[in-house]
Amino acid sequence: MESKQAVRQRTIAAIPAVVTLLCLCWVLDGCSTPSRVPAATEVSLPTEALREGSILFAGKCSGCHPGGRSGLGPSIINKPLPSALIRFQTRAGLGVMPAFKNHALTDEQVKNIATYLVYLRKEG
Amino acid sequence: MKHALVYLLACGVLLQGCYRILPSNGGGQISGNPRERNIDPTDVLVPEGYRIEAVASGLTFPTALTFDEDGIPYVIEAGYSYGEVFLQPRLLRIGADGQTTEVYAGAENGPWNGVTYHDGFFYIAEGGQLEGGKILRVSQAGEAQALVEGLPSYGDHHTNGPLIQEGYLYFGQGTATNSGVVGSDNADFGWLRRHPDFHDIPCADIILADINYTTPNVLTDDPKDRAVTGPYSPYNTAVRQGQMIKGEVPCTGAVLRVALTGGEPKVVAWGFRNPYGLATAPDGAIYITQNAYDNRGSRPVWGIGDVLYRLEAGKWYGWPDYNGQLPLAVTHVPGEGKPRGPLVTNPPGDPPAPVATFGVHSSSNGLDFSTNPAFGFRGQAFVAQFGDMAPKVGKVLAPVGYKVVRVDIATGRVEDFVVNKGKKDGPASWLGSGGLERPNSVQFTPSGDALYIVDFGVMTMSKAGPTPHEKTGVVWKVSKQ
C-alpha cells in the first residue's frame, strides 16, 4: 500500500498534466454541441445525485454555460473530461472562471455537478 | 509543490489573457445587411408532439401580444428600437389569414413594451423615450387615454409590463443606467444628449458611499475635459460620503401598481434593474424577469445572468449592489478588477433569492405560465429570450438566447422549449436558416392550448451599436399536434 506521502507526490506530479489537458480542451473549444430536441415532457433524472447536480448546475453554472453549452464562457459538455477533472476545475477555477470553494459548494455538491455534466454530455 | 503551483498560476494567467483576446461572437454580429427574412418553421426544433407555424410576418419591432374576449390576437409594434429608430407604435389586430389591421397608432414615444387586454380595453406599457413613460388605455374603437404618465423612462430601460390582477395594474419601471452611474455608454444609447440631467431615482431614501467615476466628458468638444459622476446623480455631478438621496415615486428600477380606476402609482417592490416581463402563476403569485447587468459604462459588471423572481411586496431586490443575493463586490471584470462599491451604505434589506438564473446577456424578457394540462408543463414559466446584444453589452464566445425556454419554478431548472436547429444557439440570420430571430415575449391563448411567440425580428450588432431591421418581425404559434 502506498504511503500518504507517495500519493501526495503522485498527485502533485499529475497537476501539470491536468492543467495542460484543460488548456488543450479550452483551445479545442471550437468544437460545438449540436442543438438537442427539446423534451416533450419533464425529464426524470434517474438518480438523486443527478437531480441535485442539475439544480446546482442551474444556479451556479448555467449563467455562463447555458445548458452546458458556450455562451459567456466555453462549452463544458463537448470535452471528454472525466468527473475528477471537472471537480478539479470547479474547485480551482481556471482563467476567468471563478473557483468554487468550500463555502460555496460542498465536496458532495461538486461531485453531483460533475456527475450531471458527464450525464449531459452523454445523453445530450 | 512550488513548481506545480507556479505552473497552475501561469496557466490561469495565460487563459485569462486568452479570454481577453478572444473575439466576441454574438448572434447579432453578422456581416451584410439581411433586408429579407426567410421564414421556415422546419428550421425550428419543438418537442415531439408539438408543431410551430408563423401566423403573421412583416411586422416592425413587434414586442408583445394579447387576446380579446373572442380569442382574437393583437400585437403591438414598439415604435422605438435601440439604435435610435423612432417610428409610430401601433396596435394591430391579427386576422385569421395573418393579415393585420391597425386599431390604434400612438405618438413617437416608444418603445411599447407590453400589452394586456381587460374588460374591453387594451392596456399598453409605453416606454417613453421622448416624453416619459405612460400606461395607455385603448378602446376597441382606438380611443386612447393615459392611465399613468410622467414615468422616468428616458434612459437605458423603459416602462414594462403591464399585468392586471384584482383591480390593479402592475408595471415594471427600468433603471436609467446599467449599474447606477450615468456615463459615456448612455451617450452611446442616445439619451444622454437629449436629457443630460436624467439619472436613477431611488424609491426610498438612500445614503451613498464616497464613490465617483472620472471619464472623458462626452458632452463637450474638448477631448481633455473630464466628467466626475456619482451614482443616482446627473452626469458630471459628484457625490460625497454620507450624502442622502431622497426617495421619490415614481422611481426607477421598481414594480409599481395603480388602480384600474386611476390614481397615483404606488411602489410594490424596488431594487430591480430592468423588470421586463410580469406574469401571474397558477397559484396567483406574480413572477418577474429581470435583465441583469452589462459589462459596459463607468461601472461595468461581468458574468451576471438574467434572473426570474417571485414578487414579494415591500422588498428591495438589490440593484445597484447585488444580483439576486450575490454582492457585486465578489464579482470581477476580466482585466479590470472588481466593481467599486457598495454604492449604497444603508441597504434597505436583504435581497430575495432568484427563482432561476438565465444565460448572461440572454435578455430574458417576456414570460407566461402554462395553465392547461393538455398543452403540458402546467405551472411552468415560459420565457422568451431576445438574445445577446454583444459586443455592446459585453463579449460572448457564442450567441446566447434566441429561443424560448421553460422554467420549473420549484427547482429553478431551465430547459429549452423552442430553439433553432443548428450546431449552436443563434438567430436565424446568424445560422443562415429560416427560424427564430429574437423572441421578445410569449403569450398563451386564453384557453392555454397554444403558445404565441412574438419575434422582434432581425437586429444586427456592431461596435457602433445595434441596427434593427424593419418589417422582419414575426408572430409564431406553438400548439399540440
Side-chain angles (χ1 to χ4, degrees), chain B residues 33-286:
Chain B
N33 188 10
R35 292 184 185 281
E36 296 290 323
R37 178 172 180 182
N38 176 32
I39 300 168
D40 186 352
T42 64
D43 286 336
V44 184
L45 287 170
V46 292
E48 189 178 346
Y50 293 79
R51 66 188 293 264
I52 183 166
E53 60 192 305
V55 298
S57 60
L59 303 167
T60 294
F61 315 153
T63 50
L65 182 140
T66 191
F67 296 91
D68 68 11
E69 58 274 274
D70 296 324
I72 296 171
Y74 295 78
V75 64
I76 54 171
E77 293 182 326
Y80 170 82
S81 171
Y82 290 134
E84 289 287 88
V85 179
F86 289 91
L87 301 167
Q88 211 174 9
R90 299 195 301 163
L91 171 66
L92 305 171
R93 179 169 47 245
I94 301 175
D97 58 357
Q99 297 299 306
T100 57
T101 307
E102 184 178 297
V103 176
Y104 173 69
E108 288 188 7
N109 188 39
W112 281 5
N113 280 338
V115 61
T116 191
Y117 182 84
H118 178 77
D119 211 9
F121 291 93
F122 300 94
Y123 292 85
I124 297 169
E126 178 164 292
Q129 185 62 232
L130 293 182
E131 300 172 12
K134 300 179 184 180
I135 299 294
L136 300 178
R137 176 162 49 200
V138 180
S139 72
Q140 286 269 17
E143 294 159 342
Q145 64 178 116
L147 180 66
V148 181
E149 53 191 339
L151 297 169
S153 296
Y154 304 113
D156 293 359
H157 311 114
H158 309 103
T159 303
N160 309 312
L163 169 75
I164 292 175
Q165 192 182 83
E166 296 177 353
Y168 287 92
L169 182 142
Y170 292 74
F171 61 95
Q173 178 59 52
T175 54
T177 64
N178 177 40
S179 56
V181 184
V182 182
S184 54
D185 55 324
N186 308 118
D188 295 342
F189 271 84
W191 65 263
L192 180 58
R193 289 184 173 83
R194 282 194 294 276
H195 300 284
D197 293 331
F198 189 62
H199 56 84
D200 281 299
I201 305 164
C203 299
D205 297 354
I206 56 169
I207 296 171
L208 299 176
D210 179 20
I211 298 176
N212 294 290
Y213 297 82
T214 302
T215 62
N217 189 335
V218 294
L219 297 184
T220 64
D221 294 330
D222 183 354
K224 293 180 182 171
D225 201 4
R226 291 288 177 269
V228 181
T229 310
Y232 290 97
S233 302
Y235 185 62
N236 202 12
T237 302
V239 299
R240 63 182 189 284
Q241 179 69 35
Q243 181 175 334
M244 189 182 79
I245 303 288
K246 194 80 180 155
E248 294 177 29
V249 180
C251 39
T252 59
V255 172
L256 303 100
R257 74 175 193 177
V258 62
L260 287 175
T261 51
E264 295 298 315
K266 308 282 187 200
V267 175
V268 179
W270 66 294
F272 297 100
R273 181 175 177 276
N274 189 24
Y276 192 93
L278 284 78
T280 304
D283 68 358
I286 295 174

Side-chain angles (χ1 to χ4, degrees), chain B residues 150-449:
Chain B
L151 297 169
S153 296
Y154 304 113
D156 293 359
H157 311 114
H158 309 103
T159 303
N160 309 312
L163 169 75
I164 292 175
Q165 192 182 83
E166 296 177 353
Y168 287 92
L169 182 142
Y170 292 74
F171 61 95
Q173 178 59 52
T175 54
T177 64
N178 177 40
S179 56
V181 184
V182 182
S184 54
D185 55 324
N186 308 118
D188 295 342
F189 271 84
W191 65 263
L192 180 58
R193 289 184 173 83
R194 282 194 294 276
H195 300 284
D197 293 331
F198 189 62
H199 56 84
D200 281 299
I201 305 164
C203 299
D205 297 354
I206 56 169
I207 296 171
L208 299 176
D210 179 20
I211 298 176
N212 294 290
Y213 297 82
T214 302
T215 62
N217 189 335
V218 294
L219 297 184
T220 64
D221 294 330
D222 183 354
K224 293 180 182 171
D225 201 4
R226 291 288 177 269
V228 181
T229 310
Y232 290 97
S233 302
Y235 185 62
N236 202 12
T237 302
V239 299
R240 63 182 189 284
Q241 179 69 35
Q243 181 175 334
M244 189 182 79
I245 303 288
K246 194 80 180 155
E248 294 177 29
V249 180
C251 39
T252 59
V255 172
L256 303 100
R257 74 175 193 177
V258 62
L260 287 175
T261 51
E264 295 298 315
K266 308 282 187 200
V267 175
V268 179
W270 66 294
F272 297 100
R273 181 175 177 276
N274 189 24
Y276 192 93
L278 284 78
T280 304
D283 68 358
I286 295 174
Y287 284 74
I288 303 155
T289 53
Q290 164 165 281
N291 301 149
Y293 302 84
D294 293 335
N295 185 5
R296 64 175 165 90
S298 298
R299 189 173 180 247
V301 183
W302 184 83
I304 300 295
D306 292 355
V307 290
L308 178 68
Y309 283 122
R310 182 183 173 103
L311 181 64
E312 297 180 49
K315 289 281 188 179
W316 174 74
Y317 279 74
W319 189 92
D321 289 323
Y322 291 81
N323 192 57
Q325 294 178 320
L326 181 73
L328 297 191
V330 305
T331 70
H332 76 286
V333 180
E336 294 187 33
K338 296 175 184 296
R340 292 162 66 198
L343 305 179
V344 178
T345 62
N346 64 332
D350 296 324
V355 171
T357 302
F358 303 106
V360 178
H361 304 315
S362 59
S363 195
S364 296
N365 288 353
L367 82 156
D368 200 6
F369 281 86
S370 174
T371 56
N372 187 337
F375 185 86
F377 304 109
R378 186 182 182 281
Q380 292 201 4
F382 288 69
V383 180
Q385 297 189 324
F386 185 85
D388 68 78
M389 293 179 68
K392 290 300 282 186
V393 297
K395 180 171 73 180
V396 294
L397 299 185
V400 183
Y402 308 97
K403 57 189 174 182
V404 174
V405 297
R406 59 179 174 82
V407 182
D408 180 344
I409 57 173
T411 63
R413 284 183 57 185
V414 178
E415 301 284 351
D416 290 351
F417 184 68
V418 182
V419 60
N420 285 332
K421 292 176 182 172
K423 291 192 171 182
K424 289 189 176 180
D425 289 344
S429 52
W430 188 84
L431 293 165
S433 78
L436 307 172
E437 282 290 338
R438 291 184 178 272
N440 192 66
S441 68
V442 287
Q443 182 69 52
F444 277 98
T445 56
S447 68
D449 65 344

